[in-house]
């Protein structure tokens, strides 16, 4: 493990939170946008090293294009599938659970960027509703912690959540998080102990790390993962294909090969969602398909994620590489095998 000079909680407290703080730190000016700013200082230093035109910078620094009014507020249609607070249940056997709406960083491309607010209370336990819902839905065998970022919760609060789901006899638990790359120090010894305990409460624990570029794989992250990959759990990753950030074959190759070498299996590559304020990261489906097809030549199948797209309106994810060709006719098959439109107008 790392010898820490600054705890992750302190790193959060000292994060850059305003245009003024950003401008003082980067010694340049930034566009004003409607979206909050939140960049932990160690990440800010890394961005500064790489330069403000780098892939790292584009993901986290505000940009005038965020003020464009195209795109949707709820691009994947989560609201229609939320039966109770803190739950989105779209697929038969698994559901998303949102213990918090805060994150360790404000990603400018985020598909929930019009819904998340950094001043929300950190932990909003509503286990009554969750318990009632799960009791009525025994078909749910996996609870996926999403958010916000579930690792924004303290280890104690996470343990409470895990105990609740263990009592409800949910066999599988999953965490979707960006924390390990933003603040590797979050994966401290208490977290290791927590996961070891959880591994005895559930049949399968999965941690899915969100990262988009090989520059996010720092020496610190690698060092932490050397120990954590030995835990009796499954490590996966998910990435978003982002115009100007990672939309080329060699960048994706370096990312996915970097991950498998660390014991993290690339799971999903998401086509970007048509989210308001993030449309400058969106790219044509044809371009994504060509990129993804070319990747096969450079990385083995075990390092290749599934390339998926979320169909607006809540139709869910579907694979995007269509074997007949790159051309996109504007329609996709949803989980019921129905053809539905991707573009809403
Ligand atoms: C993406 C998603 C999941 C997880 O899907 P997997 O294919 O199991 O990774 C679950 N619920 C919702 C609502 C989702 O959007
Ligand atoms: S960590 Fe995830 S939910 Fe949070 S801002 Fe980034 S993409 Fe959005």
């Amino acid at each position: 493990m790392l010898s820490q000079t600054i705890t992750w909680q302190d790193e959060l407290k000292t994060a850059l939170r305003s245009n003024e703080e950003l401008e003082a730190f980067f010694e340049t000016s930034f566009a004003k946008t409607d979206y909050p700013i939140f960049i932990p200082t160690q990440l800010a230093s890394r961005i500064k090293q790489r330069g403000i035109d780098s892939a790292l910078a584009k993901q986290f620094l505000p940009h005038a294009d965020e003020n464009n009014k195209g795109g949707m507020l709820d691009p994947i249609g989560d609201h229609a599938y939320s039966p109770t607070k803190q739950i989105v249940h779209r697929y038969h056997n698994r559901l998303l659970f949102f213990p918090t709406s805060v994150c360790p960083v404000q990603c400018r491309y985020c598909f929930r960027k019009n819904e998340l607010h950094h001043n929300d209370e950190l932990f909003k336990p509503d286990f009554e509703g969750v318990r009632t819902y799960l009791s009525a839905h025994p078909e749910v065998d996996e609870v996926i912690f999403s958010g916000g970022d579930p690792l924004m919760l303290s280890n104690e609060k996470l343990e409470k959540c895990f105990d609740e789901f263990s009592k409800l006899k949910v066999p599988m638990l999953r965490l979707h998080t960006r924390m390990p790359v933003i603040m590797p120090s979050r994966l401290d010894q208490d977290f290791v102990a927590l996961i070891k305990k959880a591994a005895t409460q559930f049949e399968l624990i999965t941690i899915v790390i969100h990262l988009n570029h090989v520059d996010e794989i720092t020496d610190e992250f690698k060092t932490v993962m050397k120990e954590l990959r030995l835990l009796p759990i499954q490590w996966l990753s998910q990435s978003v294909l982002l115009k100007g950030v990672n939309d080329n074959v060699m960048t994706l190759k370096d990312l996915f090969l970097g991950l498998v070498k660390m014991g993290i299996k690339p799971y999903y590559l998401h086509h970007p969602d048509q989210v308001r304020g993030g449309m400058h990261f969106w790219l044509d489906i044809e371009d994504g398909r060509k990129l993804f097809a070319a990747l096969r030549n450079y990385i083995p199948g075990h390092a290749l994620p599934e390339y998926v797209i979320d169909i607006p309106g809540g139709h869910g994810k579907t694979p995007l590489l269509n074997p007949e060709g790159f051309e996109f006719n504007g329609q996709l098959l949803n989980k019921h095998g129905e053809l539905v439109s991707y573009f809403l107008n």
Side-chain angles (χ1 to χ4, degrees), residues 76 78 88-91 94-96 142 144 174 176 267-268 310 317:
I76 74 171
D78 272 349
V88 172
H89 189 186
R90 179 163 26 236
Y91 302 106
R94 55 211 192 274
L95 53 75
L96 300 182
E142 184 172 26
I144 304 166
R174 198 194 310 177
H176 282 180
Y267 176 43
Y268 277 142
D310 252 285
K317 298 179 190 66

Side-chain angles (χ1 to χ4, degrees), residues 60 101-113 116 118 146-149 177-179 182 210 240:
F60 306 116
S101 60
V102 290
C103 298
V105 71
Q106 183 76 35
C107 307
R108 312 316 293 188
Y109 56 85
C110 177
F111 73 100
R112 295 204 179 105
K113 71 183 293 177
L116 297 176
H118 265 276
S146 185
D149 192 320
T177 177
R178 215 180 187 322
M179 199 63 139
I182 302 300
H210 169 181
V240 192

Side-chain angles (χ1 to χ4, degrees), residues 83-87 125-136:
T84 177
K85 236 170 71 183
Q86 300 186 323
I87 283 181
D126 175 30
F127 268 109
E128 238 2 269
V130 172
R131 231 179 265 129
T132 309
Y133 189 77
L134 278 177
S135 307

